[in-house]
Amino acid sequence: MVHHHSNPSPLTDMSQLFFLVWLRKNLFNSWINTILTILLGTLLFNSLLKFGHWAGNFAKWEVIPQNLPLYFVGRFPPGEYWRLWLFLSLLMLMTGLTWGVLTRLSKGYLFNPTVLCGLALAVLTISIWPFIGDQPLLIRLQLSGLIVLLSVTAQISYWCGHPSFPWGQRLTLGWVVIFLIGLWLIMGGLGLPAISSIAWGGVLLTALMSLVSSILSFPFGILLALGRQSSLPVIRGLSTLYIELVRGMPLITILFVGLIMVPLFLPSGWRLDVVFRAILGLTLFVSAYLAETIRGGLQAIPKGQFEAANSLGLNTPLTLGLIILPQALKISIPAIVGLFISLLQDTTLVSIVGLFDLLGISRSILANPIFIGRHAEVYLFIGVLYWLLCYLMSQGSRYLEKQLRSHP
Amino acid sequence: MVSRHSSDTPIPLWRDERFIRWGLQTLVLAVVIGVMGIMVVNMNRNLQQLGRQFDYTFLKNQSGFNIGEHILPYSPDDTYGWALWVGYVNTLRLILVGFVATTGVGILAGIASFSDNWLIRRLNLIYVEIVRNTPLLLQLFFWYLVVFFGLSDGSGVRRLAGIVYISKKGLYLPWPANTVSTWVAIVSVFLLAFIAYYIWRWNLRQMEQFGRPSGIPRLLLWGIGAIALLLLSVGLNWSFPFLSNDKLIIGGVRISLEYAAMLSGLTFYTGAFIAEIVRAGIQSVSKGQWEAARSLGLKTSAAMRLVVLPQALRVIIPSLNGQYMHLAKNSSLALAIGYPDIIATGQTTQNQTGRAVEIVLLWAVTYLTMNLLISLVMNRLNQSVQIQER
């Protein structure tokens, strides 16, 4: 079945033929599939039409640009925004450096089509997004500057990233330093005016809480995993008890433990900030799951590795630290990233106990009489934000996994 | 560790493995007990300062708060203990219906990923990717505030798909009326299902013995199916909701919007994970099994039913256990929506009485027993599908 155009060319004819064959094979290959296709197609078309009608005519999207700072940094004092910009630039610098070096080491291409598409999309969004404020141009320039910084650093480090230089340790050290500088810039103190945790919010608080609790949960998770595998009955019993207790309870109850019961457990007069109590709750929760994930990795290590290490004269701590854990952790990277993605999603629960993470701040925006009833717009927007964060994390982990596989 | 020393000098104590083992365990135990002891002492002192002590006598006091929806009889005059029990029953109502619904959605979506229809595969992929990459709490808010409140827009009543009504008060669905004939019909459908199962088993054994199915049972099974369908459509005495003249909805069953939002959110969220498990399970059966089944003359549907699915179930069921436990735990997010489950009623109790420790312990025990029960049932199910080894 070839339809003739007004100016038929062999190429369009062929592609059209392929298209029709494809349609026949993939959508209309049996009567039941034909019915399903037509049914679902109409339904989909109708829903998209309705959504477009709503988005164009009824939705009031100004709830998003007008509150943009709230979504991203909460009630962080605007006079101190320069700290966050500084931190973002450092972050871009470090990301570019790591990316360039890793790509060089794995002999890959820096700007493959996917990455280029992503960067172009980011620039496009920055240039057409309706920023509201005194200097929309300045914000556009700053954001574009960050992207330029990222690309340029990546390119430079790609050129200079000589394989003989011990990059691995330097990069890790760099990330630790960046993390500490970031904490200092966000919290203040040591020369900078301190910013109370009540002012943190939005994406900033979500990222901070998930990052800090995932870092804190690492030592606990490893110890618990080793404890559960241990041949010492008391340690094994205690680890198993903790892991099973925490895994049997919903996160919200553990957050309540952190928020309500921890102040009772502390000596009178001691106070722990509410954000840190939430982080404590998240850490207690995620360590148990992390322990099970790492245990999976530990179980995958053949027994010969233990025996070989023992016969070399390594004692148990050295065997675990030098031989077993590096292998076990490397195996479990995909599962660990999956766990941290769900941790990022689980931080939304702190909005129930009154913190202003991305979901919490959205709810407080929706409680504002000016924006009442704008649930659909706000939830769609933060849904896209969460989706992007999770997607970037999983893509990053896939990239890291590939690099580690090619460069042990 | 050197276990046997070559020289005569005895092993020093700090390098003796027995000493290290026991010393380490004693140390860990001492630290754990010490920290917990300090915590309990602090807690007792802090509670004393607040003029309270740890006990459960408050459960006998009158609660005084209202619970929006309940199956068991409840009024604010009842005790805190009864209020928590009513909340627990609400949790169970959510979880048990959720298990059935999410299994259905998950299996359907899992099989859809093998469909040869491009549109179905795409839609399925979009569903799974969206649901798994956004927070459940956000999805619940979306279902509650955008979908259900959006549908019930305005103060009036709205009719959906002809037979369902929705208003701010809830969703009104057709439901079997509580009459004798309904129960007779339900019991007979169950009986018919049993009979059909045994006929199917007998037919299978015939197939194994003689290499071909006997023709009669197939007809019989169709007949049984037709009778069951008839019983379900007519015998159940369906009561349809309708709008009376004074703008009231009569008949059917009312489901609160909170319950509907929780159920849809949990069902579709867990369903996406179950879909992936089902997909992985079916993929885990080696291709040779399909080919062998086909070369024995089994049709695709029979090969799926008799050869692939039983093997896939061995992979699927252990992972399903985890998903059911997640669903049970995630039902605690009802607190954010305002569905009065055990967490929400417990939270109200705790706000009124200040009994934080007691309530948190109660929650812990509730969820731990619930998850233990799920694990027990699923393990029994798992045992029944594993390979029977000699």
Side-chain angles (χ1 to χ4, degrees), chain B residues 23-55:
Chain B
L24 193 64
Q25 297 195 65
T26 322
L27 188 72
V28 169
L29 202 61
V31 168
V32 169
I33 290 177
V35 169
M36 287 181 77
I38 292 173
M39 275 164 38
V40 168
V41 168
N42 279 338
M43 187 186 83
N44 276 334
R45 204 176 37 223
N46 284 331
L47 283 180
Q48 251 168 23
Q49 274 181 1
L50 296 170
R52 288 204 300 264
Q53 59 179 5
F54 180 87
D55 61 35

mmCIF file of all heavy atoms in Angstrom, chain B residues 23-55:
data_model
loop_
_atom_site.group_PDB
_atom_site.id
_atom_site.type_symbol
_atom_site.label_atom_id
_atom_site.label_comp_id
_atom_site.label_asym_id
_atom_site.label_seq_id
_atom_site.Cartn_x
_atom_site.Cartn_y
_atom_site.Cartn_z
ATOM 1 N N GLY B 23 35.742 -11.166 74.280
ATOM 2 C CA GLY B 23 35.932 -9.787 74.732
ATOM 3 C C GLY B 23 35.140 -8.825 73.868
ATOM 4 O O GLY B 23 34.432 -7.947 74.383
ATOM 5 N N LEU B 24 35.190 -9.018 72.537
ATOM 6 C CA LEU B 24 34.483 -8.126 71.623
ATOM 7 C C LEU B 24 32.974 -8.182 71.865
ATOM 8 O O LEU B 24 32.305 -7.154 71.952
ATOM 9 C CB LEU B 24 34.806 -8.536 70.185
ATOM 10 C CG LEU B 24 34.396 -7.530 69.112
ATOM 11 C CD1 LEU B 24 35.168 -6.241 69.290
ATOM 12 C CD2 LEU B 24 34.669 -8.106 67.726
ATOM 13 N N GLN B 25 32.482 -9.431 72.015
ATOM 14 C CA GLN B 25 31.030 -9.556 72.207
ATOM 15 C C GLN B 25 30.594 -8.924 73.511
ATOM 16 O O GLN B 25 29.568 -8.243 73.573
ATOM 17 C CB GLN B 25 30.622 -11.030 72.177
ATOM 18 C CG GLN B 25 30.910 -11.651 70.837
ATOM 19 C CD GLN B 25 30.203 -12.973 70.677
ATOM 20 O OE1 GLN B 25 28.997 -13.018 70.648
ATOM 21 N NE2 GLN B 25 30.956 -14.042 70.588
ATOM 22 N N THR B 26 31.385 -9.155 74.575
ATOM 23 C CA THR B 26 31.030 -8.556 75.866
ATOM 24 C C THR B 26 31.042 -7.043 75.752
ATOM 25 O O THR B 26 30.129 -6.372 76.253
ATOM 26 C CB THR B 26 32.029 -8.997 76.954
ATOM 27 O OG1 THR B 26 32.372 -10.345 76.731
ATOM 28 C CG2 THR B 26 31.459 -8.814 78.332
ATOM 29 N N LEU B 27 32.069 -6.520 75.068
ATOM 30 C CA LEU B 27 32.192 -5.073 74.926
ATOM 31 C C LEU B 27 30.971 -4.504 74.199
ATOM 32 O O LEU B 27 30.347 -3.539 74.670
ATOM 33 C CB LEU B 27 33.470 -4.753 74.148
ATOM 34 C CG LEU B 27 33.841 -3.283 74.085
ATOM 35 C CD1 LEU B 27 34.340 -2.833 75.448
ATOM 36 C CD2 LEU B 27 34.915 -3.049 73.038
ATOM 37 N N VAL B 28 30.613 -5.135 73.055
ATOM 38 C CA VAL B 28 29.480 -4.625 72.281
ATOM 39 C C VAL B 28 28.206 -4.679 73.111
ATOM 40 O O VAL B 28 27.438 -3.713 73.184
ATOM 41 C CB VAL B 28 29.309 -5.439 70.977
ATOM 42 C CG1 VAL B 28 27.983 -5.109 70.302
ATOM 43 C CG2 VAL B 28 30.454 -5.153 70.031
ATOM 44 N N LEU B 29 28.009 -5.818 73.779
ATOM 45 C CA LEU B 29 26.809 -5.971 74.595
ATOM 46 C C LEU B 29 26.767 -4.907 75.680
ATOM 47 O O LEU B 29 25.725 -4.273 75.913
ATOM 48 C CB LEU B 29 26.789 -7.360 75.216
ATOM 49 C CG LEU B 29 25.416 -7.869 75.645
ATOM 50 C CD1 LEU B 29 24.498 -7.963 74.451
ATOM 51 C CD2 LEU B 29 25.541 -9.209 76.332
ATOM 52 N N ALA B 30 27.934 -4.679 76.319
ATOM 53 C CA ALA B 30 27.984 -3.696 77.399
ATOM 54 C C ALA B 30 27.652 -2.311 76.862
ATOM 55 O O ALA B 30 26.885 -1.561 77.490
ATOM 56 C CB ALA B 30 29.372 -3.698 78.040
ATOM 57 N N VAL B 31 28.217 -1.970 75.691
ATOM 58 C CA VAL B 31 27.952 -0.639 75.130
ATOM 59 C C VAL B 31 26.468 -0.489 74.809
ATOM 60 O O VAL B 31 25.839 0.512 75.163
ATOM 61 C CB VAL B 31 28.814 -0.410 73.865
ATOM 62 C CG1 VAL B 31 28.344 0.828 73.123
ATOM 63 C CG2 VAL B 31 30.269 -0.266 74.234
ATOM 64 N N VAL B 32 25.893 -1.519 74.157
ATOM 65 C CA VAL B 32 24.481 -1.425 73.781
ATOM 66 C C VAL B 32 23.609 -1.292 75.027
ATOM 67 O O VAL B 32 22.739 -0.413 75.117
ATOM 68 C CB VAL B 32 24.062 -2.660 72.951
ATOM 69 C CG1 VAL B 32 22.550 -2.711 72.788
ATOM 70 C CG2 VAL B 32 24.727 -2.620 71.597
ATOM 71 N N ILE B 33 23.861 -2.163 76.029
ATOM 72 C CA ILE B 33 23.050 -2.103 77.250
ATOM 73 C C ILE B 33 23.252 -0.762 77.943
ATOM 74 O O ILE B 33 22.294 -0.134 78.413
ATOM 75 C CB ILE B 33 23.395 -3.283 78.185
ATOM 76 C CG1 ILE B 33 22.886 -4.580 77.556
ATOM 77 C CG2 ILE B 33 22.774 -3.080 79.559
ATOM 78 C CD1 ILE B 33 23.237 -5.812 78.346
ATOM 79 N N GLY B 34 24.531 -0.297 77.958
ATOM 80 C CA GLY B 34 24.825 0.974 78.618
ATOM 81 C C GLY B 34 24.076 2.127 77.969
ATOM 82 O O GLY B 34 23.395 2.901 78.657
ATOM 83 N N VAL B 35 24.136 2.204 76.634
ATOM 84 C CA VAL B 35 23.474 3.305 75.932
ATOM 85 C C VAL B 35 21.971 3.240 76.153
ATOM 86 O O VAL B 35 21.318 4.247 76.455
ATOM 87 C CB VAL B 35 23.807 3.256 74.424
ATOM 88 C CG1 VAL B 35 22.921 4.212 73.646
ATOM 89 C CG2 VAL B 35 25.260 3.592 74.192
ATOM 90 N N MET B 36 21.414 2.008 76.051
ATOM 91 C CA MET B 36 19.967 1.895 76.250
ATOM 92 C C MET B 36 19.588 2.242 77.677
ATOM 93 O O MET B 36 18.558 2.875 77.922
ATOM 94 C CB MET B 36 19.500 0.490 75.874
ATOM 95 C CG MET B 36 19.523 0.289 74.370
ATOM 96 S SD MET B 36 18.967 -1.327 73.877
ATOM 97 C CE MET B 36 17.230 -1.137 74.056
ATOM 98 N N GLY B 37 20.442 1.832 78.621
ATOM 99 C CA GLY B 37 20.175 2.158 80.022
ATOM 100 C C GLY B 37 20.139 3.659 80.230
ATOM 101 O O GLY B 37 19.200 4.184 80.849
ATOM 102 N N ILE B 38 21.147 4.355 79.681
ATOM 103 C CA ILE B 38 21.179 5.813 79.818
ATOM 104 C C ILE B 38 19.921 6.425 79.219
ATOM 105 O O ILE B 38 19.296 7.320 79.794
ATOM 106 C CB ILE B 38 22.431 6.387 79.120
ATOM 107 C CG1 ILE B 38 23.694 5.957 79.876
ATOM 108 C CG2 ILE B 38 22.372 7.904 79.041
ATOM 109 C CD1 ILE B 38 24.973 6.331 79.194
ATOM 110 N N MET B 39 19.503 5.881 78.033
ATOM 111 C CA MET B 39 18.323 6.428 77.376
ATOM 112 C C MET B 39 17.081 6.234 78.230
ATOM 113 O O MET B 39 16.262 7.148 78.377
ATOM 114 C CB MET B 39 18.142 5.774 76.000
ATOM 115 C CG MET B 39 18.973 6.464 74.936
ATOM 116 S SD MET B 39 19.234 5.580 73.387
ATOM 117 C CE MET B 39 17.742 4.774 73.059
ATOM 118 N N VAL B 40 16.962 5.030 78.824
ATOM 119 C CA VAL B 40 15.762 4.766 79.631
ATOM 120 C C VAL B 40 15.768 5.649 80.871
ATOM 121 O O VAL B 40 14.737 6.229 81.248
ATOM 122 C CB VAL B 40 15.697 3.264 80.006
ATOM 123 C CG1 VAL B 40 14.647 3.022 81.072
ATOM 124 C CG2 VAL B 40 15.410 2.438 78.778
ATOM 125 N N VAL B 41 16.957 5.795 81.506
ATOM 126 C CA VAL B 41 17.043 6.649 82.706
ATOM 127 C C VAL B 41 16.658 8.077 82.348
ATOM 128 O O VAL B 41 15.838 8.709 83.029
ATOM 129 C CB VAL B 41 18.475 6.594 83.296
ATOM 130 C CG1 VAL B 41 18.653 7.675 84.346
ATOM 131 C CG2 VAL B 41 18.731 5.232 83.896
ATOM 132 N N ASN B 42 17.226 8.575 81.249
ATOM 133 C CA ASN B 42 16.897 9.931 80.807
ATOM 134 C C ASN B 42 15.407 10.079 80.555
ATOM 135 O O ASN B 42 14.791 11.065 80.941
ATOM 136 C CB ASN B 42 17.641 10.255 79.504
ATOM 137 C CG ASN B 42 19.062 10.675 79.768
ATOM 138 O OD1 ASN B 42 19.378 11.105 80.880
ATOM 139 N ND2 ASN B 42 19.914 10.533 78.785
ATOM 140 N N MET B 43 14.847 9.047 79.861
ATOM 141 C CA MET B 43 13.439 9.127 79.515
ATOM 142 C C MET B 43 12.576 9.188 80.778
ATOM 143 O O MET B 43 11.681 10.019 80.878
ATOM 144 C CB MET B 43 13.051 7.911 78.674
ATOM 145 C CG MET B 43 11.657 7.961 78.119
ATOM 146 S SD MET B 43 11.253 6.428 77.299
ATOM 147 C CE MET B 43 10.766 5.428 78.690
ATOM 148 N N ASN B 44 12.924 8.320 81.761
ATOM 149 C CA ASN B 44 12.135 8.328 82.989
ATOM 150 C C ASN B 44 12.214 9.681 83.678
ATOM 151 O O ASN B 44 11.206 10.218 84.149
ATOM 152 C CB ASN B 44 12.626 7.233 83.936
ATOM 153 C CG ASN B 44 11.985 5.911 83.588
ATOM 154 O OD1 ASN B 44 10.889 5.893 83.018
ATOM 155 N ND2 ASN B 44 12.665 4.811 83.872
ATOM 156 N N ARG B 45 13.444 10.248 83.695
ATOM 157 C CA ARG B 45 13.580 11.537 84.370
ATOM 158 C C ARG B 45 12.803 12.619 83.617
ATOM 159 O O ARG B 45 12.092 13.420 84.216
ATOM 160 C CB ARG B 45 15.057 11.911 84.479
ATOM 161 C CG ARG B 45 15.301 12.861 85.627
ATOM 162 C CD ARG B 45 16.748 13.193 85.835
ATOM 163 N NE ARG B 45 17.490 13.310 84.597
ATOM 164 C CZ ARG B 45 18.704 12.802 84.416
ATOM 165 N NH1 ARG B 45 19.291 12.129 85.383
ATOM 166 N NH2 ARG B 45 19.333 12.968 83.285
ATOM 167 N N ASN B 46 12.936 12.587 82.267
ATOM 168 C CA ASN B 46 12.229 13.599 81.480
ATOM 169 C C ASN B 46 10.718 13.477 81.637
ATOM 170 O O ASN B 46 10.010 14.476 81.723
ATOM 171 C CB ASN B 46 12.604 13.472 79.999
ATOM 172 C CG ASN B 46 13.983 14.025 79.719
ATOM 173 O OD1 ASN B 46 14.437 14.933 80.412
ATOM 174 N ND2 ASN B 46 14.665 13.462 78.738
ATOM 175 N N LEU B 47 10.240 12.218 81.655
ATOM 176 C CA LEU B 47 8.794 12.018 81.802
ATOM 177 C C LEU B 47 8.337 12.490 83.177
ATOM 178 O O LEU B 47 7.269 13.072 83.325
ATOM 179 C CB LEU B 47 8.439 10.542 81.599
ATOM 180 C CG LEU B 47 8.419 10.052 80.153
ATOM 181 C CD1 LEU B 47 8.047 8.592 80.106
ATOM 182 C CD2 LEU B 47 7.450 10.866 79.317
ATOM 183 N N GLN B 48 9.190 12.209 84.212
ATOM 184 C CA GLN B 48 8.827 12.653 85.560
ATOM 185 C C GLN B 48 8.727 14.163 85.638
ATOM 186 O O GLN B 48 7.808 14.710 86.255
ATOM 187 C CB GLN B 48 9.873 12.160 86.561
ATOM 188 C CG GLN B 48 9.329 11.056 87.450
ATOM 189 C CD GLN B 48 10.429 10.390 88.227
ATOM 190 O OE1 GLN B 48 11.483 10.994 88.437
ATOM 191 N NE2 GLN B 48 10.202 9.177 88.674
ATOM 192 N N GLN B 49 9.673 14.823 84.940
ATOM 193 C CA GLN B 49 9.625 16.285 84.925
ATOM 194 C C GLN B 49 8.327 16.767 84.303
ATOM 195 O O GLN B 49 7.778 17.795 84.688
ATOM 196 C CB GLN B 49 10.804 16.844 84.132
ATOM 197 C CG GLN B 49 12.052 16.994 84.978
ATOM 198 C CD GLN B 49 13.189 17.571 84.186
ATOM 199 O OE1 GLN B 49 13.046 17.876 83.011
ATOM 200 N NE2 GLN B 49 14.331 17.713 84.836
ATOM 201 N N LEU B 50 7.842 16.017 83.299
ATOM 202 C CA LEU B 50 6.580 16.388 82.659
ATOM 203 C C LEU B 50 5.388 15.874 83.462
ATOM 204 O O LEU B 50 4.243 16.093 83.085
ATOM 205 C CB LEU B 50 6.523 15.811 81.239
ATOM 206 C CG LEU B 50 7.563 16.349 80.261
ATOM 207 C CD1 LEU B 50 7.577 15.533 78.979
ATOM 208 C CD2 LEU B 50 7.286 17.815 79.947
ATOM 209 N N GLY B 51 5.657 15.146 84.561
ATOM 210 C CA GLY B 51 4.580 14.650 85.410
ATOM 211 C C GLY B 51 3.878 13.446 84.829
ATOM 212 O O GLY B 51 2.671 13.296 84.976
ATOM 213 N N ARG B 52 4.619 12.587 84.117
ATOM 214 C CA ARG B 52 3.987 11.402 83.544
ATOM 215 C C ARG B 52 4.826 10.194 83.874
ATOM 216 O O ARG B 52 5.967 10.303 84.329
ATOM 217 C CB ARG B 52 3.916 11.549 82.014
ATOM 218 C CG ARG B 52 2.933 12.544 81.528
ATOM 219 C CD ARG B 52 2.535 12.202 80.112
ATOM 220 N NE ARG B 52 3.674 12.211 79.209
ATOM 221 C CZ ARG B 52 4.009 13.234 78.452
ATOM 222 N NH1 ARG B 52 3.298 14.325 78.507
ATOM 223 N NH2 ARG B 52 5.032 13.177 77.637
ATOM 224 N N GLN B 53 4.261 9.013 83.652
ATOM 225 C CA GLN B 53 5.087 7.816 83.691
ATOM 226 C C GLN B 53 4.597 6.839 82.649
ATOM 227 O O GLN B 53 3.495 6.968 82.122
ATOM 228 C CB GLN B 53 5.060 7.199 85.077
ATOM 229 C CG GLN B 53 3.671 6.804 85.537
ATOM 230 C CD GLN B 53 3.723 6.182 86.905
ATOM 231 O OE1 GLN B 53 4.776 6.137 87.514
ATOM 232 N NE2 GLN B 53 2.607 5.716 87.384
ATOM 233 N N PHE B 54 5.469 5.856 82.350
ATOM 234 C CA PHE B 54 5.185 4.930 81.264
ATOM 235 C C PHE B 54 4.158 3.892 81.708
ATOM 236 O O PHE B 54 4.458 3.051 82.546
ATOM 237 C CB PHE B 54 6.490 4.253 80.846
ATOM 238 C CG PHE B 54 6.313 3.271 79.737
ATOM 239 C CD1 PHE B 54 6.362 3.691 78.426
ATOM 240 C CD2 PHE B 54 6.094 1.932 80.010
ATOM 241 C CE1 PHE B 54 6.201 2.796 77.395
ATOM 242 C CE2 PHE B 54 5.921 1.035 78.970
ATOM 243 C CZ PHE B 54 5.983 1.467 77.669
ATOM 244 N N ASP B 55 2.959 3.982 81.216
ATOM 245 C CA ASP B 55 1.993 2.888 81.417
ATOM 246 C C ASP B 55 0.890 3.017 80.369
ATOM 247 O O ASP B 55 0.793 4.006 79.649
ATOM 248 C CB ASP B 55 1.418 2.882 82.829
ATOM 249 C CG ASP B 55 0.674 4.159 83.158
ATOM 250 O OD1 ASP B 55 0.042 4.725 82.256
ATOM 251 O OD2 ASP B 55 0.726 4.598 84.320
#
